[in-house]
Amino acid sequence: MEHFQIAIDGPSGSGKSTLARSVARTLGILYLDTGAMYRACGLKALDLGIDPKDEPRISSMLENLRLDILFEQGSQRVILDGEDVTERIRMPGVSVAASDISSLRPVRERMVQMQRQIAGKRNVVLDGRDIGSYVLPSAPFKFFLTADPEERAKRRLEEMAVRGVIDLTFEAVLADLKYRDHQDSTRSFAPLVRTPDAIVIDTTSNTPEETLAQLLSYLPEEVRSGSGSGDAS
Ligand code: DC
C-alpha cells in the first residue's frame, strides 16, 4: 500500500478527535483535524461581526482569509491570517459559528481542497463529518463514531472544564450539540452521513483505549505494524 488514509466521521462529541489523535500516535502518521479549519472560518466571521450564514459576505471574507495548518511534533496548529488561533477556536460560541459557516458551499469547497492536498501526500488520519463520504471517498479505511447525546454532552462539558471554561451548564452544551447535529446532518452540500462502507463504532460506554483497540483491530497487519511509509511530520 503506497499511501493510505483513515477517515473518521461522526457527530460532535462522539470521540473522533481523541481517537484520531491516538491512532496517529500509534501508527506514526499525520492527524488532520478538519473541524479546526471550519472553526477558524467561524472565528474570523465572529471577529469581523459577520453572520456566519450570510453567504455573500462570507464569500468576500474568504477572499481575504489566509489559513495555514502547521504540524509540529504530531500536533496541529491553526494559523489564521498570521495569528495562531489553535486555542481560541475551542472557545464557546465558535462551535455553533463553525457549524453555521460550514453549511456554505464556498467555505466547504475551499476547505476540502486544502484537506485533499494535505491528505494526498502521505499516510494520514482525518476526522470530520464528510471525510468518508465526500473528501476522500476512496479512503481504504472508514469509520463512523456514534455515542448517546447525553454522553457526548458530558464529554464536551469535561473538555471545556479542562480548558478553564466552567460557566457552562449541561443543558446548554446538550442544546448546542443537538443544534449542530441537526444542522450538520441536514445541510444540502456534503452533510454528515454514514456511508455503507464505514465501520460503525458506538463509543458510549467505551474508554478511549477500548475505542482505539476496536479501530486498530480492523486494520491489516501491514498498516498496524507501520510497514507502510509512516510520516507524522
Ligand atoms: O469537529 P468539530 O466539532 O471541531 O467541528 C466544528 C463544526 O465544523 C461542526 O459542527 C461541523 C463542521 N465540520 C464540517 O462540516 N465538516 C468537517 N469535516 C468537520 C467539521
Side-chain angles (χ1 to χ4, degrees), residues 34-35 38-39 98-99 102 108 128-130 156 180 184 187:
T34 64
Y38 294 99
R39 285 173 178 269
S99 177
S102 76
R108 300 203 75 77
R129 305 293 187 291
D130 59 341
R156 268 280 178 261
R180 291 204 288 146
D184 297 345
R187 66 177 174 234

